[in-house]
Amino acid sequence: MYFESNNSLMNILVVNWAWYPTGGDWTYVENVVNIYQQKGHHVIPFSMKDERNFPTPYSDYFIENIDYKKVNKRSISAGVKVVMKSIYSFEAQENLERLLADVKIDFAHINVIHHYITPTILKILKKRNIPIIWTLHEYTPICPDSIFVSHGQICERCFGGAFYNCITHSCKKGSYLASTVAALENYVHKYLNYYAYVDHFVCPSVFQYEKYKQFNFFNDKLVQIYHGYDYAEIEKAKQLTVQNPEKYIVFVGRLEKIKGAHTLLKAMQSLPEVSLKIIGDGTQEDELKAYKETHQLTNVTFLGKKTKQETLQVINGAVFLICPSECYEVLGFTVVEAMALGKPVIGAAIGGIPEMVIDNYTGLLFTPGNVEQLSEKIKWLIQNPDVAAKMSINAQIHINKLINNETHFKSLQTLIPEL
């Protein structure tokens, strides 16, 4: 099959490590794909094979699945092959070459590709003079651990390309081996300089944009563009939510230390009159549940993982949402969705959160990890429903103006005028 684009429509290659819902990165990918299609363009995905993928006629071009959880169960030689493939993928290059031979691509939109598809595909695209934009969803090019966290603390030791710090401090999963692989990956990609093939790096928040600039990462190619969002699901959630007299607050996210759920549970100890619902799972789930039982937190309920619509309905029934992250959040869609539902947000003053949670206007900010401060903010907002009601209105107005599809598309058009 060979698809030609005409003068008004474009064939857009959208690249992401997965082609099924995985979190915030997929929320963006799915949304931007819908935007392109609604504008009449043809989207060609390039990803990794997985039984959970959404069906596409281009799946034969996808690379074989890499499951790092199974690496330890294989032989050492098999593990080495997987590790090498995660740094430099010949398969991704070969499969992309096949795809480009069959489909004329007008421009490529890169998303999350490290560790799986790898930046090695950039030279294939550049060889054919295909314009490339890359939406940055994390910090991998400047931080081997992707999130600027080492052993639960913010860490920027790798500034200036000093990636060996990841090894000496075992930043990746607390493992010397995993950290060595992560640092090696960064050194290889920096040496090969494939990032130079990208025309524009898109940063979804001002914070991320400034952080990449601070690390001198292709400053002339960095642009700041907020994500878009399709609010149709929000309206659906409002209609489906069953009115419940129960008053509660809600946390939605991965149950990992960097997301601050442990700080929130500690804060709940002094708030026996406040009910908290927690949506999500993760490596800290058992530890957090044990903490709840040990401290008899009968006001805390773990709901586990929920579907997107179920999650939105729970948020819609809440008084407000808590976002206690302790890492450099790029742009949390959970906060976007809560504010779009008219919920104030109590958020940690870190990363891109303060760009959405305007203190005393759309919600309240607190110092990351500060249990006492978080507890006080929750109690104060609960006791001031009139203020919360005003914040609710402000939150909806602010987020709809900041995060919307039309503005996002127009911004992308400044990078690719043919759109």
Side-chain angles (χ1 to χ4, degrees), residues 96-110:
L96 182 57
E97 287 275 23
R98 284 197 300 113
L99 189 155
L100 296 179
D102 293 339
V103 185
K104 182 184 183 299
I105 298 297
D106 294 296
F107 92 89
H109 190 156
I110 310 297

Side-chain angles (χ1 to χ4, degrees), residues 290-303:
Y291 186 93
K292 171 197 167 176
E293 296 303 321
T294 301
H295 294 84
Q296 299 181 323
L297 296 177
T298 56
N299 55 335
V300 176
T301 305
F302 286 86
L303 300 180

Side-chain angles (χ1 to χ4, degrees), residues 52 224 251 258 331:
R52 293 165 289 185
Q224 196 279 309
F251 165 93
I258 60 170
L331 190 81

Side-chain angles (χ1 to χ4, degrees), residues 309-379:
Q309 252 324 304
E310 288 172 338
T311 299
L312 291 177
Q313 288 173 52
V314 173
I315 295 174
N316 195 41
V319 181
F320 54 83
L321 177 123
I322 310 289
C323 181
S325 288
E326 296 174 15
C327 62
Y328 290 158
E329 292 284 357
V330 176
L331 190 81
F333 274 112
T334 298
V335 173
V336 173
E337 290 160 351
M339 292 175 69
L341 286 164
K343 304 300 170 183
V345 175
I346 296 181
I350 191 170
I353 295 173
E355 294 169 48
M356 297 178 287
V357 183
I358 312 300
D359 200 27
N360 292 308
Y361 184 70
T362 66
L364 299 172
L365 292 173
F366 73 98
T367 304
N370 190 317
V371 175
E372 185 178 335
Q373 203 177 93
L374 175 56
S375 179
E376 289 173 354
K377 301 274 182 175
I378 292 173
K379 188 174 183 179

Side-chain angles (χ1 to χ4, degrees), residues 360-418:
N360 292 308
Y361 184 70
T362 66
L364 299 172
L365 292 173
F366 73 98
T367 304
N370 190 317
V371 175
E372 185 178 335
Q373 203 177 93
L374 175 56
S375 179
E376 289 173 354
K377 301 274 182 175
I378 292 173
K379 188 174 183 179
W380 186 87
L381 198 55
I382 287 283
Q383 293 176 343
N384 290 273
D386 291 344
V387 176
K390 290 178 182 177
M391 287 181 174
S392 170
I393 296 170
N394 296 338
Q396 283 181 288
I397 295 171
H398 177 66
I399 210 65
N400 278 275
K401 183 178 179 181
L402 193 72
I403 312 291
N404 67 82
N405 280 352
E406 201 54 42
T407 300
H408 185 68
F409 183 71
K410 286 179 180 177
S411 297
L412 290 176
Q413 281 183 307
T414 64
L415 308 182
I416 308 292
E418 296 78 11

